[in-house]
Amino acid sequence: MTELAERMAQAVARAETFSVWPGGDAPGAQQSRARFTLEERHTGATLLDRAVTGVRAPQITVYQPASPNGVGLLVTPGGSYRRVVLDKEGSTLAPAFTDAGYTLFVMTYRLPGDQHAEGPDAPLADAQRALRLIRHRAAEYNLNADHIGILGFSAGGHVAASLATRYAEAVYAPLDEADELSARPAFMALAYPVITMTGAAAHSGSRQQLLGDAPDDAQEKRYSAEQAVTAATPPAFLFHAADDPAVKVENSLMMYAALRDKGVPAELHLFEEGGHGFGIRDAEALPARAWPALLMRWITRTLEKK
């Protein structure tokens, strides 16, 4: 077992999990026929290569540092909106980030093709609720409630970008005190993200799961995160591999251009190699392995400016 795999296993053993929604199932899941399924070894050959489908009751798994720095990261892993991976873009982050004092909140979210009442807004509803709930419980985890950001990968990057641009939209009915809080993240970090639903740069699999087989122009525009950026969008950090064969690098370029156009502070890193879904484990032999350190330095600088 590699050192990273060993530390991932230790982090998973220590982690705690809680529900995003009171009672477990999301309110909009009542009409869905989705059935939760854990897929072992979906993204690789080890026990910590898990993914889930049929999410009805989104959960947050908390990886806590020994010495919290007051910053929380809500993590939305990828999976092409067909599944949510738990380890490749979840538990694998824990050693690097908790060592630096970050508290990680890795969430599962409902999938838009599972006929939830919110339709394509189901993942956004889960992310809004998760951010508010973490903010509500900030003191419990020794966090600054104003220093909670979101880190999203691939289709989870679309979830993160949607939250950062549509945090104020009412996509579910308030349930409790947590829902009185803002869902605006302090910052967003987008890893090889799905961003646009229009044109040749769109990731066809994610678009089909989100919008169906024949979305109209209005639907494509509404769910293209680059078209929802405003001057109030939080600061952003983006990274992508130029040789990504799945989600074209143009997604990050378009988002970066939209942020710049609205005067939103943004930093973009393009790596020559990496393919898609490199996360931490698959980047160990590549220059792209620098992204966690680059992101953490950027977060520190960004929060110092607040």
Side-chain angles (χ1 to χ4, degrees), residues 211 215-224:
L211 301 177
D216 59 30
D217 290 347
Q219 287 175 305
E220 289 185 349
K221 180 178 180 180
R222 174 172 170 76
Y223 293 94
S224 292

Side-chain angles (χ1 to χ4, degrees), residues 72-246:
L73 274 177
L74 174 62
V75 179
T76 49
S80 298
Y81 274 140
R82 292 180 179 273
R83 55 184 47 81
V84 182
V85 303
L86 300 181
D87 298 305
K88 184 179 182 181
E89 293 158 351
S91 65
T92 188
L93 309 176
F97 282 90
T98 59
D99 280 358
Y102 292 87
T103 305
L104 295 186
F105 299 86
V106 179
M107 74 175 293
T108 57
Y109 50 87
R110 287 172 296 150
L111 301 167
D114 283 346
Q115 291 80 50
H116 298 282
E118 303 92 341
D121 286 334
L124 174 60
D126 295 341
Q128 284 187 358
R129 171 70 186 179
L131 200 291
R132 289 177 171 128
L133 190 57
I134 295 166
R135 183 160 281 148
H136 183 64
R137 298 179 63 173
E140 179 181 339
Y141 293 104
N142 297 302
L143 301 177
N144 182 328
D146 294 325
H147 288 180
I148 300 167
I150 188 165
L151 166 59
F153 297 80
S154 193
H158 188 266
V159 178
S162 297
L163 177 65
T165 54
R166 299 173 57 199
Y167 55 86
E169 285 191 28
V171 292
Y172 69 92
L175 299 173
D176 53 27
E177 289 182 357
D179 289 325
E180 298 174 8
L181 301 176
S182 172
R184 183 183 186 273
F187 56 86
M188 64 171 150
L190 307 177
Y192 36 87
V194 172
I195 292 294
T196 192
M197 295 291 136
T198 66
H203 182 248
S204 59
S206 296
R207 180 173 60 186
Q208 194 278 332
Q209 290 296 309
L210 192 71
L211 301 177
D213 294 325
D216 59 30
D217 290 347
Q219 287 175 305
E220 289 185 349
K221 180 178 180 180
R222 174 172 170 76
Y223 293 94
S224 292
E226 82 280 5
Q227 300 197 41
V229 173
T230 70
T233 298
F237 180 98
L238 303 94
F239 63 96
H240 214 126
D243 65 351
D244 191 324

